[in-house]
Amino acid sequence: MNPNTSITRWLAAAALAAASLAGAPAALAHGTAKPAHGGVVQAASDLSFELVTTPGGAAIYVVDHDKEADASRFGGKLTVLTGSEKSEAPLKAAGGNKLEATGIALAKGSKVVASITTPAKKTVTVRFTVK
């Protein structure tokens, strides 16, 4: 084996590892994953979404780079899968950074898919599992 080939492979591996690590802090730059309202937090498209169970259904709080987003500029639909049961409800602005879906029930273990339309008319799909 040629000694130059071995060094070249090692340098290539080191460069790849360094490039992988360089991108890690950027993933955390858009906010924390700590729930502010006791719900479940997911991130998508540079936004954070917190799903919270409410007595009448569910709420999703939208955060953009650690700042509350204006929920009146968002819309969408919430789909809930609990066992073999499926239910859907529209997501409507409910003041501040809160979107609300009423007439649905979330249970522990429910799978929830939020299809949210952003102000730029882009649809973002966010998946949650209720804890």
Side-chain angles (χ1 to χ4, degrees):
M1 184 153 128
N2 184 343
N4 289 334
T5 303
S6 181
I7 291 171
T8 303
R9 285 184 182 169
W10 184 87
L11 287 174
L16 181 61
S20 296
L21 292 174
L28 301 174
H30 298 296
T32 63
K34 295 181 182 177
H37 304 280
V40 180
V41 177
Q42 294 290 351
S45 295
D46 288 335
L47 299 168
S48 293
F49 301 92
E50 181 180 1
L51 175 71
V52 179
T53 302
T54 64
I60 292 184
Y61 295 88
V62 185
V63 176
D64 184 3
H65 296 89
D66 291 329
K67 294 181 184 172
E68 293 185 358
D70 179 4
S72 69
R73 301 180 67 215
F74 291 80
K77 176 177 73 171
L78 202 65
T79 303
V80 180
L81 304 170
T82 305
S84 62
E85 299 283 322
K86 177 182 175 182
S87 57
E88 295 181 338
L91 281 167
K92 297 181 181 178
N97 68 327
K98 181 179 178 182
L99 295 169
E100 208 166 47
T102 58
I104 57 171
L106 302 181
K108 185 176 181 179
S110 292
K111 306 291 184 194
V112 180
V113 178
S115 296
I116 298 173
T117 305
T118 68
K121 304 300 180 210
K122 177 181 175 187
T123 300
V124 177
T125 303
V126 190
R127 299 179 195 296
F128 303 91
T129 300
V130 178
K131 294 182 180 180

